[in-house]
mmCIF file of all heavy atoms in Angstrom:
data_model
loop_
_atom_site.group_PDB
_atom_site.id
_atom_site.type_symbol
_atom_site.label_atom_id
_atom_site.label_comp_id
_atom_site.label_asym_id
_atom_site.label_seq_id
_atom_site.Cartn_x
_atom_site.Cartn_y
_atom_site.Cartn_z
ATOM 1 N N TYR A 325 -19.519 -6.593 0.775
ATOM 2 C CA TYR A 325 -20.456 -5.739 1.539
ATOM 3 C C TYR A 325 -19.609 -4.599 2.018
ATOM 4 O O TYR A 325 -18.883 -4.791 3.053
ATOM 5 C CB TYR A 325 -21.029 -6.581 2.645
ATOM 6 C CG TYR A 325 -21.722 -7.817 2.272
ATOM 7 C CD1 TYR A 325 -21.190 -8.982 2.504
ATOM 8 C CD2 TYR A 325 -23.094 -7.772 1.600
ATOM 9 C CE1 TYR A 325 -21.907 -10.253 2.157
ATOM 10 C CE2 TYR A 325 -23.639 -8.831 1.169
ATOM 11 C CZ TYR A 325 -23.035 -10.173 1.457
ATOM 12 O OH TYR A 325 -23.718 -11.247 1.069
ATOM 13 N N SER A 326 -19.715 -3.405 1.441
ATOM 14 C CA SER A 326 -19.057 -2.296 1.914
ATOM 15 C C SER A 326 -19.740 -0.959 1.543
ATOM 16 O O SER A 326 -20.517 -0.984 0.545
ATOM 17 C CB SER A 326 -17.595 -2.298 1.478
ATOM 18 O OG SER A 326 -17.586 -1.984 0.088
ATOM 19 N N GLN A 327 -19.509 -0.022 2.286
ATOM 20 C CA GLN A 327 -19.884 1.412 1.865
ATOM 21 C C GLN A 327 -18.681 2.052 1.503
ATOM 22 O O GLN A 327 -17.732 2.273 2.252
ATOM 23 C CB GLN A 327 -20.572 2.059 3.168
ATOM 24 C CG GLN A 327 -21.746 1.413 3.639
ATOM 25 C CD GLN A 327 -22.387 2.049 4.773
ATOM 26 O OE1 GLN A 327 -21.713 2.898 5.456
ATOM 27 N NE2 GLN A 327 -23.661 1.829 5.125
ATOM 28 N N GLU A 328 -18.668 2.297 0.198
ATOM 29 C CA GLU A 328 -17.434 2.782 -0.488
ATOM 30 C C GLU A 328 -16.700 3.952 0.300
ATOM 31 O O GLU A 328 -15.502 3.842 0.489
ATOM 32 C CB GLU A 328 -17.794 3.213 -1.865
ATOM 33 C CG GLU A 328 -16.495 3.470 -2.765
ATOM 34 C CD GLU A 328 -16.975 3.814 -4.151
ATOM 35 O OE1 GLU A 328 -17.402 4.871 -4.467
ATOM 36 O OE2 GLU A 328 -16.756 2.966 -5.065
ATOM 37 N N ASN A 329 -17.448 4.867 0.831
ATOM 38 C CA ASN A 329 -16.703 6.095 1.485
ATOM 39 C C ASN A 329 -16.285 5.801 2.846
ATOM 40 O O ASN A 329 -15.680 6.707 3.409
ATOM 41 C CB ASN A 329 -17.498 7.243 1.208
ATOM 42 C CG ASN A 329 -18.841 7.131 2.019
ATOM 43 O OD1 ASN A 329 -19.272 6.235 2.343
ATOM 44 N ND2 ASN A 329 -19.530 8.245 2.040
ATOM 45 N N LYS A 330 -16.524 4.575 3.429
ATOM 46 C CA LYS A 330 -16.208 4.442 4.820
ATOM 47 C C LYS A 330 -15.054 3.542 5.012
ATOM 48 O O LYS A 330 -14.545 3.441 6.068
ATOM 49 C CB LYS A 330 -17.429 3.664 5.514
ATOM 50 C CG LYS A 330 -18.736 4.350 5.478
ATOM 51 C CD LYS A 330 -18.841 5.509 6.403
ATOM 52 C CE LYS A 330 -20.190 6.250 6.199
ATOM 53 N NZ LYS A 330 -20.167 7.456 6.875
ATOM 54 N N ILE A 331 -14.427 3.014 3.918
ATOM 55 C CA ILE A 331 -13.306 2.141 4.134
ATOM 56 C C ILE A 331 -12.066 2.746 3.392
ATOM 57 O O ILE A 331 -12.255 3.531 2.392
ATOM 58 C CB ILE A 331 -13.517 0.744 3.545
ATOM 59 C CG1 ILE A 331 -13.939 0.695 2.098
ATOM 60 C CG2 ILE A 331 -14.701 0.164 4.379
ATOM 61 C CD1 ILE A 331 -13.956 -0.621 1.465
ATOM 62 N N PRO A 332 -10.863 2.307 3.694
ATOM 63 C CA PRO A 332 -9.640 2.826 3.114
ATOM 64 C C PRO A 332 -9.481 2.102 1.687
ATOM 65 O O PRO A 332 -10.189 1.107 1.484
ATOM 66 C CB PRO A 332 -8.544 2.359 3.946
ATOM 67 C CG PRO A 332 -9.052 1.230 4.845
ATOM 68 C CD PRO A 332 -10.618 1.556 4.957
ATOM 69 N N CYS A 333 -8.556 2.712 0.839
ATOM 70 C CA CYS A 333 -8.273 2.096 -0.425
ATOM 71 C C CYS A 333 -6.902 2.034 -0.730
ATOM 72 O O CYS A 333 -6.138 2.871 -0.109
ATOM 73 C CB CYS A 333 -9.172 2.741 -1.503
ATOM 74 S SG CYS A 333 -8.437 4.313 -2.043
ATOM 75 N N VAL A 334 -6.292 1.137 -1.525
ATOM 76 C CA VAL A 334 -5.007 1.196 -1.982
ATOM 77 C C VAL A 334 -4.991 1.294 -3.571
ATOM 78 O O VAL A 334 -6.041 0.789 -4.202
ATOM 79 C CB VAL A 334 -4.256 -0.009 -1.586
ATOM 80 C CG1 VAL A 334 -4.116 -0.116 -0.094
ATOM 81 C CG2 VAL A 334 -4.791 -1.375 -2.136
ATOM 82 N N LEU A 335 -4.071 1.946 -4.136
ATOM 83 C CA LEU A 335 -3.843 1.960 -5.599
ATOM 84 C C LEU A 335 -2.607 1.042 -5.771
ATOM 85 O O LEU A 335 -1.511 1.297 -5.251
ATOM 86 C CB LEU A 335 -3.609 3.365 -6.164
ATOM 87 C CG LEU A 335 -3.496 3.608 -7.622
ATOM 88 C CD1 LEU A 335 -4.621 2.959 -8.384
ATOM 89 C CD2 LEU A 335 -3.288 5.018 -7.909
ATOM 90 N N PHE A 336 -2.785 -0.093 -6.515
ATOM 91 C CA PHE A 336 -1.817 -1.037 -6.538
ATOM 92 C C PHE A 336 -1.102 -1.088 -7.977
ATOM 93 O O PHE A 336 -1.909 -0.876 -8.999
ATOM 94 C CB PHE A 336 -2.534 -2.550 -6.426
ATOM 95 C CG PHE A 336 -1.579 -3.644 -6.367
ATOM 96 C CD1 PHE A 336 -0.820 -3.924 -5.256
ATOM 97 C CD2 PHE A 336 -1.276 -4.443 -7.530
ATOM 98 C CE1 PHE A 336 0.152 -5.020 -5.173
ATOM 99 C CE2 PHE A 336 -0.292 -5.391 -7.467
ATOM 100 C CZ PHE A 336 0.310 -5.676 -6.296
ATOM 101 N N PHE A 337 0.138 -1.108 -7.989
ATOM 102 C CA PHE A 337 0.886 -1.035 -9.203
ATOM 103 C C PHE A 337 1.680 -2.295 -9.427
ATOM 104 O O PHE A 337 2.508 -2.777 -8.575
ATOM 105 C CB PHE A 337 2.025 0.102 -9.063
ATOM 106 C CG PHE A 337 1.412 1.440 -8.860
ATOM 107 C CD1 PHE A 337 1.052 1.903 -7.569
ATOM 108 C CD2 PHE A 337 1.181 2.286 -9.930
ATOM 109 C CE1 PHE A 337 0.424 3.165 -7.450
ATOM 110 C CE2 PHE A 337 0.590 3.537 -9.733
ATOM 111 C CZ PHE A 337 0.273 3.946 -8.491
ATOM 112 N N THR A 338 1.375 -3.012 -10.369
ATOM 113 C CA THR A 338 1.880 -4.299 -10.770
ATOM 114 C C THR A 338 3.253 -4.275 -11.314
ATOM 115 O O THR A 338 3.701 -3.214 -11.624
ATOM 116 C CB THR A 338 1.003 -5.127 -11.669
ATOM 117 O OG1 THR A 338 0.940 -4.443 -13.059
ATOM 118 C CG2 THR A 338 -0.380 -5.294 -11.215
ATOM 119 N N GLY A 339 4.027 -5.416 -11.409
ATOM 120 C CA GLY A 339 5.288 -5.400 -11.905
ATOM 121 C C GLY A 339 5.312 -5.060 -13.359
ATOM 122 O O GLY A 339 4.300 -4.727 -14.022
ATOM 123 N N GLY A 340 6.548 -5.007 -13.955
ATOM 124 C CA GLY A 340 6.660 -4.630 -15.348
ATOM 125 C C GLY A 340 6.236 -3.128 -15.639
ATOM 126 O O GLY A 340 5.593 -2.807 -16.544
ATOM 127 N N SER A 341 6.572 -2.292 -14.644
ATOM 128 C CA SER A 341 6.110 -0.818 -14.657
ATOM 129 C C SER A 341 4.529 -0.858 -14.908
ATOM 130 O O SER A 341 4.110 0.001 -15.629
ATOM 131 C CB SER A 341 6.781 -0.142 -15.758
ATOM 132 O OG SER A 341 8.186 -0.097 -15.495
ATOM 133 N N SER A 342 3.868 -1.631 -14.076
ATOM 134 C CA SER A 342 2.491 -1.674 -14.065
ATOM 135 C C SER A 342 1.787 -2.252 -15.395
ATOM 136 O O SER A 342 0.655 -1.728 -15.637
ATOM 137 C CB SER A 342 1.838 -0.290 -13.717
ATOM 138 O OG SER A 342 2.255 0.165 -12.484
ATOM 139 N N SER A 343 2.490 -3.108 -16.083
ATOM 140 C CA SER A 343 1.961 -3.623 -17.371
ATOM 141 C C SER A 343 1.625 -5.054 -17.132
ATOM 142 O O SER A 343 1.052 -5.757 -17.985
ATOM 143 C CB SER A 343 2.935 -3.459 -18.499
ATOM 144 O OG SER A 343 4.196 -4.080 -18.203
ATOM 145 N N MET A 344 2.008 -5.719 -15.961
ATOM 146 C CA MET A 344 1.592 -7.036 -15.735
ATOM 147 C C MET A 344 0.104 -7.094 -15.459
ATOM 148 O O MET A 344 -0.304 -6.206 -14.756
ATOM 149 C CB MET A 344 2.458 -7.680 -14.546
ATOM 150 C CG MET A 344 3.899 -7.606 -14.739
ATOM 151 S SD MET A 344 4.493 -8.690 -16.063
ATOM 152 C CE MET A 344 4.139 -10.268 -15.320
ATOM 153 N N PRO A 345 -0.555 -8.208 -15.869
ATOM 154 C CA PRO A 345 -1.965 -8.357 -15.488
ATOM 155 C C PRO A 345 -2.136 -8.615 -13.993
ATOM 156 O O PRO A 345 -1.326 -9.201 -13.326
ATOM 157 C CB PRO A 345 -2.437 -9.605 -16.331
ATOM 158 C CG PRO A 345 -1.115 -10.319 -16.593
ATOM 159 C CD PRO A 345 0.025 -9.201 -16.516
ATOM 160 N N ASN A 346 -3.243 -7.982 -13.578
ATOM 161 C CA ASN A 346 -3.442 -8.123 -12.118
ATOM 162 C C ASN A 346 -3.937 -9.495 -11.593
ATOM 163 O O ASN A 346 -3.906 -9.856 -10.481
ATOM 164 C CB ASN A 346 -4.534 -7.113 -11.669
ATOM 165 C CG ASN A 346 -5.887 -7.347 -12.115
ATOM 166 O OD1 ASN A 346 -6.048 -7.285 -13.333
ATOM 167 N ND2 ASN A 346 -6.896 -7.484 -11.220
ATOM 168 N N ASP A 347 -4.248 -10.417 -12.608
ATOM 169 C CA ASP A 347 -4.609 -11.702 -12.187
ATOM 170 C C ASP A 347 -3.567 -12.528 -11.426
ATOM 171 O O ASP A 347 -3.894 -13.326 -10.599
ATOM 172 C CB ASP A 347 -4.949 -12.505 -13.521
ATOM 173 C CG ASP A 347 -6.042 -12.016 -14.339
ATOM 174 O OD1 ASP A 347 -7.019 -11.219 -13.616
ATOM 175 O OD2 ASP A 347 -6.255 -12.165 -15.491
ATOM 176 N N ILE A 348 -2.287 -12.199 -11.650
ATOM 177 C CA ILE A 348 -1.251 -12.958 -10.912
ATOM 178 C C ILE A 348 -1.147 -12.485 -9.517
ATOM 179 O O ILE A 348 -0.593 -13.161 -8.725
ATOM 180 C CB ILE A 348 0.215 -12.813 -11.648
ATOM 181 C CG1 ILE A 348 0.593 -11.382 -11.749
ATOM 182 C CG2 ILE A 348 0.085 -13.416 -13.010
ATOM 183 C CD1 ILE A 348 1.933 -11.204 -12.313
ATOM 184 N N TYR A 349 -1.894 -11.381 -9.234
ATOM 185 C CA TYR A 349 -1.817 -10.848 -7.846
ATOM 186 C C TYR A 349 -3.134 -11.174 -7.170
ATOM 187 O O TYR A 349 -3.540 -10.595 -6.104
ATOM 188 C CB TYR A 349 -1.561 -9.291 -7.824
ATOM 189 C CG TYR A 349 -0.243 -9.027 -8.447
ATOM 190 C CD1 TYR A 349 -0.158 -8.672 -9.734
ATOM 191 C CD2 TYR A 349 0.952 -9.060 -7.616
ATOM 192 C CE1 TYR A 349 1.095 -8.171 -10.322
ATOM 193 C CE2 TYR A 349 2.171 -8.686 -8.187
ATOM 194 C CZ TYR A 349 2.272 -8.283 -9.496
ATOM 195 O OH TYR A 349 3.473 -8.008 -10.043
ATOM 196 N N SER A 350 -4.103 -12.018 -7.750
ATOM 197 C CA SER A 350 -5.370 -12.058 -7.335
ATOM 198 C C SER A 350 -5.519 -12.537 -5.854
ATOM 199 O O SER A 350 -6.364 -12.106 -5.148
ATOM 200 C CB SER A 350 -6.301 -13.001 -8.162
ATOM 201 O OG SER A 350 -5.683 -14.237 -8.214
ATOM 202 N N LEU A 351 -4.685 -13.405 -5.482
ATOM 203 C CA LEU A 351 -4.651 -13.989 -4.025
ATOM 204 C C LEU A 351 -4.338 -12.864 -3.080
ATOM 205 O O LEU A 351 -5.057 -12.699 -2.115
ATOM 206 C CB LEU A 351 -3.687 -15.161 -3.842
ATOM 207 C CG LEU A 351 -3.791 -15.815 -2.442
ATOM 208 C CD1 LEU A 351 -5.077 -16.459 -2.296
ATOM 209 C CD2 LEU A 351 -2.602 -16.920 -2.401
ATOM 210 N N LEU A 352 -3.259 -12.151 -3.381
ATOM 211 C CA LEU A 352 -2.904 -10.897 -2.545
ATOM 212 C C LEU A 352 -3.989 -9.867 -2.484
ATOM 213 O O LEU A 352 -4.469 -9.456 -1.302
ATOM 214 C CB LEU A 352 -1.604 -10.321 -3.068
ATOM 215 C CG LEU A 352 -1.186 -9.015 -2.369
ATOM 216 C CD1 LEU A 352 -0.912 -9.256 -0.879
ATOM 217 C CD2 LEU A 352 -0.015 -8.408 -3.031
ATOM 218 N N LEU A 353 -4.564 -9.523 -3.560
ATOM 219 C CA LEU A 353 -5.598 -8.504 -3.795
ATOM 220 C C LEU A 353 -6.840 -8.863 -2.945
ATOM 221 O O LEU A 353 -7.483 -8.063 -2.409
ATOM 222 C CB LEU A 353 -5.792 -8.053 -5.144
ATOM 223 C CG LEU A 353 -4.601 -7.265 -5.819
ATOM 224 C CD1 LEU A 353 -4.781 -7.136 -7.294
ATOM 225 C CD2 LEU A 353 -4.270 -6.043 -5.212
ATOM 226 N N ASN A 354 -7.257 -10.235 -3.173
ATOM 227 C CA ASN A 354 -8.469 -10.586 -2.459
ATOM 228 C C ASN A 354 -8.242 -10.664 -0.921
ATOM 229 O O ASN A 354 -9.231 -10.401 -0.372
ATOM 230 C CB ASN A 354 -8.920 -11.895 -3.124
ATOM 231 C CG ASN A 354 -9.612 -11.870 -4.248
ATOM 232 O OD1 ASN A 354 -10.725 -11.307 -4.316
ATOM 233 N ND2 ASN A 354 -9.049 -12.305 -5.504
ATOM 234 N N LYS A 355 -7.105 -10.998 -0.582
ATOM 235 C CA LYS A 355 -6.842 -11.011 0.841
ATOM 236 C C LYS A 355 -6.950 -9.611 1.463
ATOM 237 O O LYS A 355 -7.398 -9.292 2.529
ATOM 238 C CB LYS A 355 -5.357 -11.590 1.092
ATOM 239 C CG LYS A 355 -5.088 -11.893 2.571
ATOM 240 C CD LYS A 355 -5.961 -12.952 3.194
ATOM 241 C CE LYS A 355 -5.626 -13.345 4.533
ATOM 242 N NZ LYS A 355 -6.555 -14.306 5.199
ATOM 243 N N ILE A 356 -6.250 -8.648 0.752
ATOM 244 C CA ILE A 356 -6.424 -7.329 1.207
ATOM 245 C C ILE A 356 -7.870 -6.839 1.179
ATOM 246 O O ILE A 356 -8.316 -6.151 2.236
ATOM 247 C CB ILE A 356 -5.526 -6.361 0.287
ATOM 248 C CG1 ILE A 356 -4.121 -6.582 0.436
ATOM 249 C CG2 ILE A 356 -5.740 -4.867 0.481
ATOM 250 C CD1 ILE A 356 -3.182 -5.942 -0.702
ATOM 251 N N ALA A 357 -8.574 -7.097 0.199
ATOM 252 C CA ALA A 357 -10.029 -6.684 0.002
ATOM 253 C C ALA A 357 -10.741 -7.338 1.121
ATOM 254 O O ALA A 357 -11.795 -6.713 1.610
ATOM 255 C CB ALA A 357 -10.566 -6.921 -1.337
ATOM 256 N N SER A 358 -10.542 -8.582 1.601
ATOM 257 C CA SER A 358 -11.372 -9.268 2.536
ATOM 258 C C SER A 358 -11.109 -8.578 3.993
ATOM 259 O O SER A 358 -11.805 -8.880 4.796
ATOM 260 C CB SER A 358 -10.887 -10.732 2.596
ATOM 261 O OG SER A 358 -9.686 -10.863 3.101
ATOM 262 N N ASN A 359 -10.075 -7.807 4.078
ATOM 263 C CA ASN A 359 -9.846 -7.037 5.289
ATOM 264 C C ASN A 359 -10.417 -5.579 5.250
ATOM 265 O O ASN A 359 -9.828 -4.677 5.814
ATOM 266 C CB ASN A 359 -8.309 -6.995 5.571
ATOM 267 C CG ASN A 359 -7.888 -8.351 6.072
ATOM 268 O OD1 ASN A 359 -8.241 -8.669 7.195
ATOM 269 N ND2 ASN A 359 -7.101 -8.982 5.225
ATOM 270 N N GLU A 360 -11.452 -5.372 4.426
ATOM 271 C CA GLU A 360 -12.295 -4.136 4.407
ATOM 272 C C GLU A 360 -11.449 -2.988 3.671
ATOM 273 O O GLU A 360 -11.350 -1.817 4.330
ATOM 274 C CB GLU A 360 -12.692 -3.684 5.709
ATOM 275 C CG GLU A 360 -13.758 -4.688 6.278
ATOM 276 C CD GLU A 360 -14.988 -4.740 5.490
ATOM 277 O OE1 GLU A 360 -15.500 -3.696 5.119
ATOM 278 O OE2 GLU A 360 -15.589 -5.847 5.351
ATOM 279 N N ILE A 361 -10.716 -3.360 2.669
ATOM 280 C CA ILE A 361 -9.900 -2.282 1.912
ATOM 281 C C ILE A 361 -10.165 -2.448 0.465
ATOM 282 O O ILE A 361 -10.151 -3.493 -0.119
ATOM 283 C CB ILE A 361 -8.468 -2.502 2.104
ATOM 284 C CG1 ILE A 361 -8.087 -2.260 3.661
ATOM 285 C CG2 ILE A 361 -7.585 -1.602 1.387
ATOM 286 C CD1 ILE A 361 -6.648 -2.688 3.967
ATOM 287 N N SER A 362 -10.604 -1.430 -0.205
ATOM 288 C CA SER A 362 -10.734 -1.525 -1.728
ATOM 289 C C SER A 362 -9.444 -1.361 -2.399
ATOM 290 O O SER A 362 -8.599 -0.528 -2.022
ATOM 291 C CB SER A 362 -11.555 -0.285 -2.198
ATOM 292 O OG SER A 362 -13.056 -0.517 -1.582
ATOM 293 N N CYS A 363 -9.257 -2.203 -3.439
ATOM 294 C CA CYS A 363 -8.000 -2.282 -4.173
ATOM 295 C C CYS A 363 -8.377 -1.700 -5.572
ATOM 296 O O CYS A 363 -9.059 -2.371 -6.238
ATOM 297 C CB CYS A 363 -7.434 -3.617 -4.271
ATOM 298 S SG CYS A 363 -7.065 -4.327 -2.505
ATOM 299 N N TYR A 364 -7.689 -0.777 -6.063
ATOM 300 C CA TYR A 364 -7.701 -0.311 -7.503
ATOM 301 C C TYR A 364 -6.359 -0.669 -8.095
ATOM 302 O O TYR A 364 -5.283 -0.351 -7.513
ATOM 303 C CB TYR A 364 -7.976 1.225 -7.468
ATOM 304 C CG TYR A 364 -9.333 1.632 -6.933
ATOM 305 C CD1 TYR A 364 -9.532 1.738 -5.521
ATOM 306 C CD2 TYR A 364 -10.406 1.777 -7.797
ATOM 307 C CE1 TYR A 364 -10.822 2.101 -5.134
ATOM 308 C CE2 TYR A 364 -11.647 2.140 -7.415
ATOM 309 C CZ TYR A 364 -11.685 2.251 -5.861
ATOM 310 O OH TYR A 364 -13.027 2.748 -5.487
ATOM 311 N N VAL A 365 -6.361 -1.322 -9.297
ATOM 312 C CA VAL A 365 -5.281 -1.721 -9.883
ATOM 313 C C VAL A 365 -4.909 -0.814 -11.032
ATOM 314 O O VAL A 365 -5.588 -0.628 -12.050
ATOM 315 C CB VAL A 365 -5.280 -3.155 -10.441
ATOM 316 C CG1 VAL A 365 -3.975 -3.559 -11.105
ATOM 317 C CG2 VAL A 365 -5.711 -4.131 -9.380
ATOM 318 N N TYR A 366 -3.639 -0.028 -10.864
ATOM 319 C CA TYR A 366 -3.319 0.935 -11.886
ATOM 320 C C TYR A 366 -2.931 0.286 -13.139
ATOM 321 O O TYR A 366 -2.464 -0.880 -13.100
ATOM 322 C CB TYR A 366 -2.084 1.673 -11.240
ATOM 323 C CG TYR A 366 -1.515 2.684 -12.214
ATOM 324 C CD1 TYR A 366 -1.938 3.994 -12.227
ATOM 325 C CD2 TYR A 366 -0.481 2.301 -13.118
ATOM 326 C CE1 TYR A 366 -1.440 4.927 -13.137
ATOM 327 C CE2 TYR A 366 0.018 3.282 -14.034
ATOM 328 C CZ TYR A 366 -0.352 4.514 -14.011
ATOM 329 O OH TYR A 366 0.139 5.421 -14.898
ATOM 330 N N ASN A 367 -3.219 0.928 -14.290
ATOM 331 C CA ASN A 367 -2.812 0.458 -15.528
ATOM 332 C C ASN A 367 -2.267 1.575 -16.403
ATOM 333 O O ASN A 367 -2.662 2.685 -16.142
ATOM 334 C CB ASN A 367 -3.820 -0.457 -16.307
ATOM 335 C CG ASN A 367 -5.132 0.424 -16.629
ATOM 336 O OD1 ASN A 367 -5.003 1.270 -17.519
ATOM 337 N ND2 ASN A 367 -6.291 0.124 -15.984
ATOM 338 N N ASN A 368 -1.489 1.259 -17.266
ATOM 339 C CA ASN A 368 -0.806 2.332 -18.106
ATOM 340 C C ASN A 368 -1.762 3.001 -19.089
ATOM 341 O O ASN A 368 -1.424 3.922 -19.937
ATOM 342 C CB ASN A 368 0.425 1.776 -18.850
ATOM 343 C CG ASN A 368 1.459 1.472 -17.948
ATOM 344 O OD1 ASN A 368 1.664 2.070 -16.997
ATOM 345 N ND2 ASN A 368 2.066 0.317 -18.223
ATOM 346 N N ASN A 369 -3.059 2.597 -19.234
ATOM 347 C CA ASN A 369 -4.021 3.229 -20.099
ATOM 348 C C ASN A 369 -4.815 4.274 -19.598
ATOM 349 O O ASN A 369 -5.709 4.904 -20.167
ATOM 350 C CB ASN A 369 -4.887 2.139 -20.655
ATOM 351 C CG ASN A 369 -4.146 1.150 -21.568
ATOM 352 O OD1 ASN A 369 -3.131 1.492 -22.191
ATOM 353 N ND2 ASN A 369 -4.577 -0.051 -21.469
ATOM 354 N N LEU A 370 -4.625 4.428 -18.199
ATOM 355 C CA LEU A 370 -5.420 5.567 -17.543
ATOM 356 C C LEU A 370 -5.064 7.035 -18.097
ATOM 357 O O LEU A 370 -3.876 7.295 -18.275
ATOM 358 C CB LEU A 370 -5.183 5.561 -15.977
ATOM 359 C CG LEU A 370 -5.696 4.232 -15.388
ATOM 360 C CD1 LEU A 370 -5.321 4.197 -13.823
ATOM 361 C CD2 LEU A 370 -7.218 3.897 -15.502
ATOM 362 N N GLU A 371 -6.033 7.837 -18.359
ATOM 363 C CA GLU A 371 -5.809 8.966 -18.959
ATOM 364 C C GLU A 371 -5.522 10.183 -17.956
ATOM 365 O O GLU A 371 -4.661 11.032 -18.285
ATOM 366 C CB GLU A 371 -7.054 9.407 -19.800
ATOM 367 C CG GLU A 371 -7.288 8.501 -21.013
ATOM 368 C CD GLU A 371 -8.577 8.720 -21.741
ATOM 369 O OE1 GLU A 371 -9.142 9.715 -21.363
ATOM 370 O OE2 GLU A 371 -9.046 7.889 -22.564
#
Side-chain angles (χ1 to χ4, degrees):
Y325 304 105
S326 70
Q327 293 179 344
E328 192 173 72
N329 60 354
K330 303 290 183 191
I331 64 173
C333 75
V334 299
L335 185 55
F336 187 81
F337 298 83
T338 65
S341 299
S342 297
S343 62
M344 297 296 287
N346 67 299
D347 297 337
I348 62 174
Y349 300 97
S350 62
L351 185 62
L352 171 66
L353 295 172
N354 278 296
K355 188 67 172 174
I356 293 169
S358 72
N359 285 291
E360 297 295 317
I361 300 172
S362 291
C363 301
Y364 294 81
V365 182
Y366 178 87
N367 66 68
N368 292 321
N369 296 325
L370 298 176
E371 297 171 11

